[in-house]
Amino acid sequence: MTVLVPRFDYRIEDVWDVVGLRGTASNDIVVEPVFVPAHRVIRNYEQAQLKGPGQKVNPGPLYRLPFAAVFTSAITAPVIGAVAGGYDSYISLMKERVRLSLGGGRFVEDPFAQVAIARAASDIDATLLQMDRNLRELSALAAEGREIPVELRLRTRRDQVRGTERAVAAMDLLFKTAGGNSLRRGNPIERAWRDAHAGSVHVANDVERALAMYGRGAFGLTVEDNLV
């Protein structure tokens, strides 16, 4: 349930001291004692059913999209972006690196590093391709005013959480092969690794629950509308 409250009816408590997400300023909002009238309440169930008050009066296709699909995709997108940026930084920084251990030699000639780059690049591409496909199909149906099938909604959530999982795995692989320098504060590889992991712990990226939900749908079992 979403509640809309005027600014003078609540206070913000500064409790947000975290790793990787300090800029979000996600502090606690305290409302007490305040009466919330019905016209300031939006029910998640209505939003999931695409029957919210705004959806009844606004003809724009954006309002025909399932909130869960849009919101969770918006959480995964910056994780993928951070990892894609980390990949670019990795390539740039490692081109000039020379090993002093493990037999020495130029880093770019290490076949294990080459394999790591290939795996990471493939996982990043997979996340982008799947999410782009799903969001394009959702947007096309919404623009045409057609019903969005639950199968597509479930697939969108499946690929969204797997996208986060793949992106983080790619970043972990690069981080591991980058060596001790990747631990230094200010190193773009360190920042990408930290940001990706920070984004991955958002509730929208609960991989097992989202995948189990997809499995329930595939078996024809009931799925909670507000989650897809």
Side-chain angles (χ1 to χ4, degrees), residues 75-77 79-80 83 119-120 123-124 126-127 130-131 157-173 196-197 199-202 204-211:
I75 297 298
T76 291
V79 174
I80 299 173
V83 174
R119 289 185 181 279
D123 282 339
I124 293 169
T127 66
Q130 284 189 313
M131 288 189 64
R157 287 286 280 120
R158 178 201 69 187
D159 294 343
Q160 170 258 316
V161 293
R162 285 290 289 130
T164 297
E165 191 173 53
R166 285 195 184 100
V168 172
M171 193 67 243
D172 282 346
L173 183 59
H197 276 272
S200 72
V201 299
H202 192 285
N205 289 318
D206 189 332
V207 178
E208 283 71 25
R209 291 184 188 277
L211 295 183

Side-chain angles (χ1 to χ4, degrees), residues 149-222:
V150 67
E151 292 81 8
L152 175 56
R153 294 167 69 165
L154 285 168
R155 192 183 78 194
T156 299
R157 287 286 280 120
R158 178 201 69 187
D159 294 343
Q160 170 258 316
V161 293
R162 285 290 289 130
T164 297
E165 191 173 53
R166 285 195 184 100
V168 172
M171 193 67 243
D172 282 346
L173 183 59
L174 297 177
F175 186 77
K176 181 178 180 180
T177 60
N181 274 335
S182 61
L183 293 171
R184 294 183 184 277
R185 292 288 298 271
N187 185 316
I189 297 174
E190 178 271 335
R191 179 175 178 178
W193 178 85
R194 174 165 42 89
D195 288 349
H197 276 272
S200 72
V201 299
H202 192 285
V203 66
N205 289 318
D206 189 332
V207 178
E208 283 71 25
R209 291 184 188 277
L211 295 183
M213 183 170 58
Y214 179 87
R216 285 184 62 84
F219 280 129
L221 301 177
T222 303

Side-chain angles (χ1 to χ4, degrees), residues 6 26 30 36 42 44 58 62 73 83 90 96 99 110 133 149 163 178 188 196 225:
S26 301
V30 181
V36 181
I42 300 176
N44 288 343
N58 195 308
L62 180 62
S73 296
V83 174
Y90 179 94
E96 307 303 323
R99 287 191 185 277
D110 183 346
R133 176 194 64 172
D225 290 337

Side-chain angles (χ1 to χ4, degrees), residues 99-121:
R99 287 191 185 277
L100 298 179
S101 58
L102 302 177
R106 297 179 65 220
F107 185 85
V108 295
E109 296 172 350
D110 183 346
F112 295 101
Q114 295 163 358
V115 169
I117 289 171
R119 289 185 181 279

